[in-house]
Amino acid sequence: MSKNLVIVESPAKAKTIEKYLGKDFKVLASYGHVRDLIPKEGAVDPEHDFAMKYQVIDRNQRHVLEITKALKEADTLYLATDPDREGEAISWHLLELLKEKKLLKNKPVHRVVFHEITKKAVTEAIANPGELSLTMINAQQARRALDYLVGFNLSPLLWKKIRRGLSAGRVQSPALRMIVERALEIEAFKTREYWTIQANLIAEEQAFVGKLTHFDGAKLSQFSFTNQEVAEKAQHALIYAADGKLIVANIDKKQRKRNPSPPFITSTLQQEAARKLGFTTKRTMMVAQQLYEGIEMGGETAGLITYMRTDSVNLAVEAITEIRELIAEKYGAENVPKKPHQYKTKSKNAQEAHEGIRPTTAQRLPAEVKNYLTDEQFKLYDLIWKRTISSQMIHATIDMMAIDLNCGSDQNVFRATGSVIVDQGFMAVYLEGLDDNKDGDDKESFLPQLKIGAVVPVTEIVADQHFTEPPPRYSEASLVKALEEHGIGRPSTYSTIISTLQNREYVTIDTKRFYPTDVGRIVNKFLTEHFTKYVDYNFTADLEDDLDAVARGEKDWIPLMSDFWKPFTSLIQEKETSVQRKDVTQEAIDEKCPECGSPLSIRLGKNGRFIGCTHYPECSYTRNLNEDSAASNEPEVVEGRSCPLCQSALVIKTGKYGKFIGCSGYPACKHIEPLEKPADTGVECPQCKKGNILKRKSRFGKVFYSCAEYPKCNYALWDAPLKESCPQCHWPVLTVKTTKRRGTEKVCPQKECKYATPYEGGLEGDGEFQTSKPE
């Protein structure tokens, strides 16, 4: 029996720590939170000081039982969950459960905290235990209660006023507002044309570019040339004036210093991993967790980075000393500053005892551990290592140059700008990325060495057309940055915020940019119009600050909850009666219905927004939101065909599942057929043996295969059929299935039969090889 029981969150972490502590310690994982609020009304009781009712989380029942069994045989309990409010809460919840079971009589309970999983850090923490922080626990409980009260009261209102199944969150709703507001800003943006003129130059065998800044004595602005005619007129005048050369009139040279970026905190790690590695915030945190909990390397397991949920940019003195020694050894003593760099933490609630995210030892070079890591683990470790090392290196020295060149006279001036890196300093190791930087993070333009009065040959003077562009849509990196700047949420929650918005289908991601869905727009419109205060950026940030004050022991959580709850619940009750569903889901437009003359409105349907008649159901006129009203009145006729039932013309129509072919004689004739004719696979249906199996598309665009005799025969498959019988069970049809793990195989579709063999051929009667992902 083990004398000491240690509890951590994850089994990987438990395995690493148990190796460090030896046979007198047993280390078990709680697998995250062990209990949560009961998932029904009354879980938080505002009438009795916001008392909370908890229950054990189903999936963790067996882990709790394992812990209780081990505790019966142990003398001492160590709670070693993560060093943040969630970790504190997990320990507290577990402790409360164990108290209920009366398993702690005469058994000491210790709280141990470490910020890196190394033998030294873990053994020191065990030797110097502390106690649970009640203020951090209260802050976490208050957060959980607020999220519950908002979700449990606001979500049903969304069901009534918009549609069932929707939900709203205290922090996610302001994040959704950001994405929607950016989309509206882009849609309202009016593009303007402008032209620029540049000279392509060459000197000392180096090509460079000069941009026109003055023309005919006037300083140019962005919109000095707004059309091709004006720009080309100026271009021709400049070509004539230049006569193949420009004269250097002035050289402005300034030297500046560029300082390194501080060590990573959670938010900056998420941003850089998104920019440089293409990781989502969720992926970044998952891989960082693996590096923190421990990697097996040559017979030993070690955590490679410090704790990855932190707001602090501080580094331990011992770590800085080790980093400075490594810089001197690897990059030269001249790259070590006289004094270590000290960085100021921006977060109001950052705990200075915490550190920034760094390697547990700087001497563990990325190249040395690469063979023990997955590709993603190596990329993230390499990023963290480089950022940490560079943060303690000397500044970079850069010469910024601007050369003015006269064209014919001093009335026409071109300016060439560039930079020269005099001393790379920290840039030899790492350079921070930029959001929405089209030219790349570290692109430098270089200029030749020139003197005033030098004659510079012109190879070409060109006029280029440009158009102003709207602000870019949010990427994960820029959204995290915006959330952090507004003080919305905390770094450890950003990943959850983004995942929640996607899971609720309020936003989609295309080319790594966020686009609000129609439902997301409607939900945001409802919240911003009727719950303005609760999606206000400042209000949300101030509430986060108040919760942080609770964690620091500066505020009491119950009055804070009461101040939030009273006006919020009053507003919910008021909106229940004052807001009608049509006020939320319909938006009036200045257009009359072409069929009945009633006003039209933009409405929300099952498949998004559309334009429909307000006189529905008496009038059923509808059209797509982006469809022209004139065009929508003239359905496209299918050439060379007529209705097989009544011989009327066939037309292409649009329904709730997309476009289809229908009879122009509707409603007298109700013939319809799909726009795309199903492809015949040439394989006979094994069930009815009367028709072939056809390749079709579902209303959601997914490919499937079914009998041509449907609905008389309902035989259907997700996978492409082959005209081959199963050698094992003799079923007359095999299918082609592709999976990541097994590749492409011939498989028997009968569940009872397990026949499968590799397949490399094509499909009969099918012009393309296409199989769907197996269900």
Side-chain angles (χ1 to χ4, degrees), residues 730-742:
H730 307 296
W731 184 251
V733 172
L734 290 177
T735 61
V736 175
K737 178 176 282 191
T738 301
T739 63
K740 285 184 179 178
R741 187 166 64 90
R742 299 176 63 93

Side-chain angles (χ1 to χ4, degrees), residues 136-154:
M136 286 180 71
I137 293 163
N138 286 341
Q140 195 277 338
Q141 282 207 97
R143 267 188 174 85
R144 184 68 189 91
L146 282 171
D147 291 341
Y148 168 88
L149 290 172
V150 170
F152 236 85
N153 289 276
L154 194 49

Side-chain angles (χ1 to χ4, degrees), residues 116-136:
E116 58 185 65
I117 303 179
T118 59
K119 189 168 185 176
K120 180 184 175 185
V122 172
T123 52
E124 282 184 0
I126 293 289
N128 300 281
E131 295 181 353
L132 285 170
S133 167
L134 187 60
T135 57
M136 286 180 71

Side-chain angles (χ1 to χ4, degrees), residues 45-77:
D45 186 359
E47 301 300 319
H48 295 87
D49 287 340
F50 300 92
M52 301 178 211
K53 297 176 184 176
Y54 292 103
Q55 67 178 29
V56 177
I57 297 169
D58 285 343
R59 69 176 183 274
N60 281 348
Q61 285 274 13
R62 65 187 181 92
H63 304 305
V64 172
L65 289 173
E66 189 180 359
I67 290 169
T68 56
K69 184 179 177 181
L71 184 60
K72 289 176 184 177
E73 301 176 357
D75 297 329
T76 306
L77 175 64

